[in-house]
Amino acid sequence: LALCNDQEYDCIVIGAGIQGSFTAYHLAKNKKKTLLLEQFILPHSRGSSHGQTRIIRKAYAENFYASMMGESCELWTLLEKEAGVTLYRRTGLLVMGPENGKDFQLIKSTIQSNRVPAVVLQRHEFSQHIPNVNLTHGDAAFVETDAGILYADRAVRAAQMVFQGHGGVIKDRQKVVQIEPGSMVTVTTGSGVYRAKSLVITAGPWASRVLPLTGLQLPLKVVRINVCYWKEKVPGSYSVTNRFPCFIQIQPKEAEHDIYGLPSNEYPGLMKLCYHMGSETDPDERDRQTDRSDVDILSRYISRCFPGLVPEPAVVESCLYTVTPDHHFVLDRHPTYSNIVIGAGFSGHGFKFGPVVGKVLSELSMGQVPSYDLSPFSIRRFHTQPKSAL
């Protein structure tokens, strides 16, 4: 009876990034006694939820993402009201890509079928609307008008604050070392033992460390992204105050993955412009990964398409993506233990979905039917047998 009762919960969530924080938020709002565990001291910049900004958009090739974003936007607005902070700024999203390319066409049709407000920009009027950008020959462009920026650090803190306001408990500096499945799951950290009726694992780049504690291995690859900021030759030319939009360049000539950017905002005079892929890394040795080939790709792209930026980065920060083979998320119950739920592999595009990911993970952990068809996010699609390491 060494375990005193206050260490027993309805649910434990491992990992206090945006997905874990929103999962805990929904559980607490559903009157579940919830513990949110984090291995590092909060707030931190080691994972995938830090930094000032993220793009929020409905422009997707897949219908299931566009439809989830409808509710996600409503829930972001609700969190702004609950926390009394601004989390979203409308900028619009410029989407450029090969006019006849499959991806560009899919995004356009998804936008139309989901009635997402958008404006097609004809080539002859492009530079009137979007000064200081060269549209690639053969590319077409449209603007998703209600897309914009999420204030990332602030959003994580807001979700955690509302969670705590509903009686939720956050404990940081709690690295999980053991998980014992059962009708009550036991979670052991470096400094405590906790028990709960259900467990949600949202461990980001550390999923491949935590999931094997439950006998499960998923094909997750951790990559380090160089988050690059580029100096405006004329200050303000790409700024949020001058109504410059976020953008995504599909199939750039320079590389195989997309390039994206956000207007100058957090660092005045600097525009954030990144390559949507990086080099594989160990999450605990992130800064040993010094590959800069993505910076060279960006530099060439900027010289060609963004003539108003100095094509040499002024600031380079890092962020981790945890990537699945098909770049779709994992949102599922554990194949062996139905009271263990997994959210993983957000592949560099999950932040904007936080409110709705948290909702479905909380529904799974409460034994409810999830609000969305989660088959695109199932563990079964990888055809990996759960390794019975237990």
Side-chain angles (χ1 to χ4, degrees), residues 2 64 78 105 110 123 135 189 265 332 382:
F64 55 83
L78 176 62
Q105 290 299 334
T110 301
R123 178 168 281 278
L135 184 63
T189 71
N265 178 22
D332 202 353
F382 302 127

Side-chain angles (χ1 to χ4, degrees), residues 229-265:
Y229 293 85
W230 311 76
K231 192 175 193 306
E232 296 168 319
K233 292 175 182 172
V234 176
S237 43
Y238 298 100
S239 88
V240 70
T241 42
N242 281 345
R243 303 194 35 208
F244 194 82
C246 298
F247 83 89
I248 293 182
Q249 170 72 60
I250 297 162
Q251 289 174 288
K253 294 225 181 307
E254 287 72 12
E256 60 169 318
H257 296 283
D258 297 349
I259 289 171
Y260 65 93
L262 296 83
S264 60
N265 178 22

Side-chain angles (χ1 to χ4, degrees), residues 87-210:
L87 301 176
Y88 156 80
R89 178 161 186 171
R90 181 177 142 172
T91 62
L93 173 75
L94 167 66
V95 179
M96 299 177 284
E99 184 154 24
N100 304 316
K102 182 177 71 110
D103 289 355
F104 188 80
Q105 290 299 334
L106 278 171
I107 292 174
K108 256 182 92 166
S109 70
T110 301
I111 274 214
Q112 284 159 349
S113 61
N114 286 275
R115 297 204 176 86
V116 177
V119 178
V120 174
L121 299 178
Q122 302 302 332
R123 178 168 281 278
H124 64 269
E125 57 177 14
F126 182 83
S127 55
Q128 269 168 267
H129 293 282
I130 314 283
N132 307 309
V133 178
N134 300 328
L135 184 63
T136 302
H137 184 73
D139 274 12
F142 68 86
V143 173
E144 180 193 332
T145 45
D146 290 339
I149 290 169
L150 288 170
Y151 295 116
D153 285 332
R154 203 188 291 178
V156 175
R157 282 198 301 272
Q160 290 172 357
M161 190 180 93
V162 175
F163 165 64
Q164 288 171 307
H166 282 88
V169 178
I170 302 179
K171 291 181 187 274
D172 61 3
R173 276 195 275 194
Q174 299 270 340
K175 187 174 176 177
V176 172
V177 294
Q178 193 183 8
I179 296 171
E180 295 166 66
S183 58
M184 288 293 280
V185 185
T186 305
V187 176
T188 307
T189 71
S191 49
V193 180
Y194 310 98
R195 291 163 49 101
K197 297 179 190 122
S198 68
L199 173 66
V200 181
I201 300 173
T202 44
W206 287 270
S208 296
R209 300 261 202 290
V210 178

Side-chain angles (χ1 to χ4, degrees), residues 224-228 274-275 291-292 294-295 298 316-318:
R224 174 192 154 133
I225 306 300
N226 286 313
V227 181
C228 302
C274 309
Y275 186 49
D291 180 20
R292 305 259 297 204
D294 53 345
V295 181
L298 291 168
V316 180
E317 298 172 342
S318 49

